[in-house]
Amino acid sequence: PYDLHIPLVFMGEEASIGIRGFTYGYDYYAPERNILYHYYERPENPNNKRESDVKVPKYWDAPNYDDTVEMRAMVRLNDIIHMSPPRRHPIRDRYWSRVEELTYGLGKVRTPELFFDTFGIHRDSQVVEKNLCMFVASKSMHNFFVKRLREDGMGIDYEKLDGFQYKNKWPKNWWWWYHGDNPNEEDAYLEPMPDSGE
């Protein structure tokens, strides 16, 4: 469930739900194309969508906004999912509410570390390996993971990943991929898996 004790968290609640669900054994899927979205900005004149956009007010724009509540919530969120807050975080080592920590905590099916390693997320720096979207959009990820489905075909058998960690292998000059001229084979940019025979 959504953690009720992370008020005012704007960027991070999806990660919290996703990683906690992953540890309970949930697998996530996305449609091939975006079918629903929302704007963070809106046209000044709804009849002319080419006009410059007007920013939609956010809660942090309020004159009495105090970021202390949000910062404490982020410390809680990060600690529960085993992601260290960045060193520059002003309340990194301060107390955070442990209310209902078990209710909004982790499962025992998989570890958050498996999630971070598989998808190239560095916990200490909170940085994602570059070009993860390229790994997904090029279908390299699909082609790699589909070979490691569970026997019943219902999701990925993460034990078959055998220590795989996404590492950026895309060249700096990747425009050729964007234009559909990818001369490489499906796994050209994957770290080789130990003892996998691939």
Side-chain angles (χ1 to χ4, degrees):
Y2 187 90
D3 187 344
L4 300 178
H5 304 286
I6 55 170
L8 302 180
V9 170
F10 183 72
M11 293 185 63
E13 74 275 16
E14 295 97 340
S16 170
I17 291 171
I19 292 167
R20 289 187 295 118
F22 179 85
T23 67
Y24 277 92
Y26 285 95
D27 290 321
Y28 300 99
Y29 303 92
E32 184 179 342
R33 293 181 183 84
N34 288 332
I35 55 172
L36 185 67
Y37 61 92
H38 69 86
Y39 290 110
Y40 279 102
E41 297 180 340
R42 61 180 172 228
E44 200 168 310
N45 177 356
N47 297 324
N48 184 357
K49 298 201 184 273
R50 293 186 177 270
E51 260 187 38
S52 62
D53 289 332
V54 175
K55 289 194 172 194
V56 175
K58 313 288 190 306
Y59 66 84
W60 57 77
D61 295 327
N64 61 346
Y65 172 69
D66 175 7
D67 65 357
T68 306
V69 173
E70 183 180 1
M71 286 192 295
R72 285 192 188 280
M74 281 304 297
V75 172
R76 172 189 169 96
L77 184 156
N78 283 320
D79 204 45
I80 286 176
I81 64 172
H82 297 185
M83 182 177 281
S84 303
R87 287 188 171 81
R88 66 186 178 277
H89 201 288
I91 57 172
R92 177 182 174 143
D93 298 319
R94 291 191 193 166
Y95 168 82
W96 57 269
S97 172
R98 295 188 182 274
V99 173
E100 295 187 285
E101 183 181 355
L102 293 178
T103 301
Y104 301 113
L106 302 175
K108 299 188 184 311
V109 176
R110 299 185 288 232
T111 67
E113 289 76 16
L114 176 62
F115 182 91
F116 298 136
D117 289 346
T118 302
F119 300 104
I121 300 169
H122 302 281
R123 294 182 309 148
D124 291 336
S125 61
Q126 294 191 350
V127 171
V128 179
E129 282 282 324
K130 290 188 184 298
N131 296 319
L132 178 61
C133 291
M134 298 285 284
F135 179 50
V136 175
S138 69
K139 299 186 181 172
S140 291
M141 184 178 85
H142 173 81
N143 293 336
F144 181 73
F145 282 5
V146 78
K147 296 174 190 170
R148 290 150 182 92
L149 290 177
R150 293 194 291 258
E151 285 187 25
D152 62 6
M154 300 295 290
I156 299 160
D157 183 344
Y158 282 86
E159 289 184 15
K160 290 181 181 176
L161 293 182
D162 194 26
F164 166 79
Q165 294 182 344
Y166 170 73
K167 300 283 185 192
N168 177 36
K169 296 283 187 171
W170 297 92
K172 289 180 184 175
N173 183 6
W174 49 265
W175 62 268
W176 45 262
W177 174 86
Y178 182 76
H179 294 288
D181 301 324
N182 185 354
N184 302 290
E185 294 183 8
E186 66 179 49
D187 292 343
Y189 293 102
L190 296 177
E191 280 288 302
M193 291 175 48
D195 304 321
S196 67
E198 291 187 60

